[in-house]
Amino acid sequence: MHKWIMFVLLSAASLLGVYLLTFGLPAKPVDESASLPEGTVLVKVEANSDFTYGQEEYHVKVGDKVILKLQNKSGIHGLKIEDLNVDLEGDNLETNLEFDKPGEYVMHCSVPCGAGHADMKAKLIVDAA
Ligand SMILES: [Cu+2]
């Protein structure tokens, strides 16, 4: 009874095995943050052509060693945080930050990029540790 089920399962498993042997496991996406030293946090801000950053809010914690990185997904944008003297644009798209108290900072685009430029904003929020 139901021997055919065993047959189907076995065949499926064999096929999967052959498939894996032939093609190997799918490549895992590279996780840049995996190689960071303990306590270091990578905040990757994506800038898009529709005048948005990847997220409206980016969170870090007090005491984190923050690497703030701007990635221009499409178009050319900048990232400026006046209160922190951060201005990422051109070849300079990465900076290190560390916060000793909670707070909220407005990141905005610093490179005139088009109609939505003035509204291109996101928040960097520093949470209590
Ligand atoms: Cu802009």
Side-chain angles (χ1 to χ4, degrees), residues 20-65:
L20 288 178
L21 283 175
T22 312
F23 298 105
L25 287 168
K28 285 195 191 132
V30 179
D31 185 4
E32 282 178 76
S33 46
S35 56
L36 293 172
E38 179 105 13
T40 302
V41 177
L42 176 66
V43 177
K44 205 154 72 174
V45 179
E46 287 177 2
N48 302 300
S49 57
D50 62 350
F51 311 110
T52 59
Y53 291 112
Q55 295 167 221
E56 284 179 23
E57 292 182 354
Y58 291 85
H59 285 261
V60 296
K61 287 201 184 78
V62 169
D64 283 347
K65 289 182 174 51

Side-chain angles (χ1 to χ4, degrees), residues 76-78 109-114 117 120:
I76 296 174
H77 308 275
C109 184
S110 56
V111 177
C113 56
H117 170 68
M120 187 160 175

Side-chain angles (χ1 to χ4, degrees), residues 62 99-105 126-129:
V62 169
F99 302 91
D100 53 11
K101 56 178 189 292
E104 239 185 75
Y105 302 90
V126 184
D127 299 311

Side-chain angles (χ1 to χ4, degrees), residues 46-106:
E46 287 177 2
N48 302 300
S49 57
D50 62 350
F51 311 110
T52 59
Y53 291 112
Q55 295 167 221
E56 284 179 23
E57 292 182 354
Y58 291 85
H59 285 261
V60 296
K61 287 201 184 78
V62 169
D64 283 347
K65 289 182 174 51
V66 179
I67 302 172
L68 181 67
K69 200 170 175 179
L70 175 67
Q71 199 173 42
N72 279 309
K73 274 265 163 174
S74 56
I76 296 174
H77 308 275
L79 191 163
K80 197 166 188 169
I81 307 175
E82 254 96 18
D83 294 344
L84 300 174
N85 273 325
V86 168
D87 190 2
L88 305 179
E89 63 171 279
D91 294 331
N92 170 39
L93 294 176
E94 198 177 312
T95 189
N96 297 299
L97 298 166
E98 205 172 333
F99 302 91
D100 53 11
K101 56 178 189 292
E104 239 185 75
Y105 302 90
V106 176

